[in-house]
Amino acid sequence: METYCLINAGAMPRWSILTTHRDELVWMNLKGQTTPFADGRVMGHISGNGFENARKSIPEGLAKLEQDYAYRFLLDPYSNQGWIAPDGKFYGCKYWTHDDIAYALLMKSPLALEYGGWVRVHDDSFRRPEIAEITKRQESVLVKLGFEPWEFTPRTKYEIDRSSPPPRYAVTAPDDLVLPGDFDEEMDAADVGLTHLVERMREHDILAALLDKDHELIDDVGPGTWDWMIQWDGLSIGGEETVDDLLRAEGLHLSRTSFDTIEVSSWPYPGLHSSSSAEERMIEREIGDHARLAPAA
């Protein structure tokens, strides 16, 4: 069983494993590229026997977040390479990112796309579906991209004027796309980190329901035990570990500290854990719903 973490190091988050490289602790993505441990922010994690099996368990909220990042950092409607869907929609991408956009934006493996009838386009060639014929709409886009769709011959130089609107066949990012990092320069970076922690906590149904209720993020509690806090009318959740440390932790542990407070700490096992049923009852009381916490390991 392998644990894969979605690591944000400042641009497109990558699914990575925690390992050592040249005697240093690093995050290594699926292409073998490494990021120093301290430079990677954990946005979520999945586990399984190999990435193909693990990715089947990606929580819906985390999958949506990864797609939003892919729209921003991987999709390029002006590109001369990418994927053409059977309906003729062109998902342009940069060099060496076909597999990335397949997993992150289209939520399928490259092989699944090809067997599903998608055309993989490179700057000088394209790959036809192995078990499906090229559709008329795919053929039309290939012609617009400078190919003769029934001949495996290099096309003439193909470029799009980036000062003009993107081609009508090209998929573009949603107009209302907003990423967690899209914040006002005056906003404190700690608040952004706390937002990332909230997104990680949303992976768990019981906390997702709680976080759907109105709450306040407090990234600096002031003098006292806790470093940060999430506050509702009748419940406060916080911790003395820094947000960065919690984002890098394998799992999270909840522990009741009083009748209306729960403390979050790092846990060495994937998932959400609790000390007793007290934490569950407190959350149920606040959301008026019934859900179960994973038992402590």
Side-chain angles (χ1 to χ4, degrees), residues 258-269:
S258 73
F259 72 95
D260 63 352
T261 61
I262 295 176
E263 186 168 86
V264 182
S265 58
S266 301
W267 195 247
Y269 307 104

Side-chain angles (χ1 to χ4, degrees), residues 252-256 262-264 272-275 279 283 293:
L252 299 176
H253 187 272
L254 305 184
S255 178
R256 174 188 175 184
I262 295 176
E263 186 168 86
V264 182
L272 179 72
H273 305 262
S274 63
S275 297
E279 295 79 15
I283 294 175
L293 285 171

Side-chain angles (χ1 to χ4, degrees), residues 12-88:
M12 181 65 206
R14 305 285 183 177
W15 287 104
S16 309
I17 60 172
L18 186 61
T19 184
T20 55
H21 179 67
R22 296 177 180 175
D23 297 326
E24 293 185 3
L25 192 62
V26 299
W27 298 106
M28 180 176 290
N29 66 29
L30 301 180
K31 291 184 175 180
Q33 300 164 323
T34 60
T35 297
F37 173 76
D39 294 343
R41 184 188 300 278
V42 178
M43 303 179 68
H45 58 85
I46 53 178
S47 298
N49 294 320
F51 182 66
E52 287 295 333
N53 287 322
R55 65 183 298 275
K56 297 175 184 177
S57 63
I58 298 177
E60 183 178 348
L62 185 60
K64 173 63 167 57
L65 185 63
E66 187 180 8
Q67 285 180 314
D68 287 346
Y69 272 93
Y71 273 121
R72 174 70 56 82
F73 293 106
L74 296 180
L75 188 69
D76 181 3
Y78 295 95
S79 179
N80 64 355
Q81 53 194 315
W83 293 92
I84 308 177
D87 62 3

Side-chain angles (χ1 to χ4, degrees), residues 35-161:
T35 297
F37 173 76
D39 294 343
R41 184 188 300 278
V42 178
M43 303 179 68
H45 58 85
I46 53 178
S47 298
N49 294 320
F51 182 66
E52 287 295 333
N53 287 322
R55 65 183 298 275
K56 297 175 184 177
S57 63
I58 298 177
E60 183 178 348
L62 185 60
K64 173 63 167 57
L65 185 63
E66 187 180 8
Q67 285 180 314
D68 287 346
Y69 272 93
Y71 273 121
R72 174 70 56 82
F73 293 106
L74 296 180
L75 188 69
D76 181 3
Y78 295 95
S79 179
N80 64 355
Q81 53 194 315
W83 293 92
I84 308 177
D87 62 3
K89 292 180 180 178
F90 176 67
Y91 292 80
C93 65
K94 298 176 176 62
Y95 176 72
W96 213 44
T97 59
H98 285 80
D99 290 2
D100 296 314
I101 204 168
Y103 284 118
L105 182 60
L106 304 174
M107 292 292 157
K108 291 187 178 181
S109 70
L111 190 61
L113 290 180
E114 292 185 14
Y115 274 86
W118 292 60
V119 175
R120 181 173 181 143
V121 181
H122 293 272
D123 57 357
D124 61 354
S125 61
F126 64 90
R127 185 179 301 170
R128 301 180 184 181
E130 296 190 18
I131 60 173
E133 294 184 357
I134 292 179
T135 67
K136 291 294 184 181
R137 292 188 177 183
Q138 286 174 323
E139 180 181 349
S140 175
V141 173
L142 284 169
V143 171
K144 292 174 182 176
L145 290 173
F147 286 107
E148 294 294 336
W150 305 111
E151 298 179 8
F152 286 95
T153 56
R155 60 181 165 188
T156 56
K157 187 176 181 180
Y158 171 81
E159 291 184 359
I160 298 177
D161 181 4

Side-chain angles (χ1 to χ4, degrees), residues 165-183:
R168 295 183 63 181
Y169 55 79
V171 174
T172 58
D175 293 335
D176 59 350
L177 177 65
V178 177
L179 298 179
D182 294 341
F183 58 92

Side-chain angles (χ1 to χ4, degrees), residues 185-251:
E185 291 182 359
E186 296 180 357
M187 183 182 294
D188 193 279
D191 182 67
V192 178
L194 187 52
T195 301
H196 282 303
L197 179 60
V198 168
E199 289 302 319
R200 177 174 182 179
M201 293 168 71
R202 280 187 182 276
E203 298 174 34
H204 308 282
D205 291 342
I206 189 168
L207 287 180
L210 181 62
L211 291 163
D212 284 339
K213 294 179 64 67
D214 290 339
H215 59 274
E216 182 182 4
L217 301 182
I218 303 173
D219 56 49
D220 185 4
V221 178
T225 303
W226 280 0
D227 182 64
W228 56 272
M229 181 167 63
I230 307 172
Q231 192 169 52
W232 291 262
D233 289 340
L235 179 66
S236 296
I237 294 180
E240 59 182 353
E241 292 185 63
T242 67
V243 170
D244 286 346
D245 286 340
L246 288 172
L247 286 169
R248 295 188 182 105
E250 187 74 2

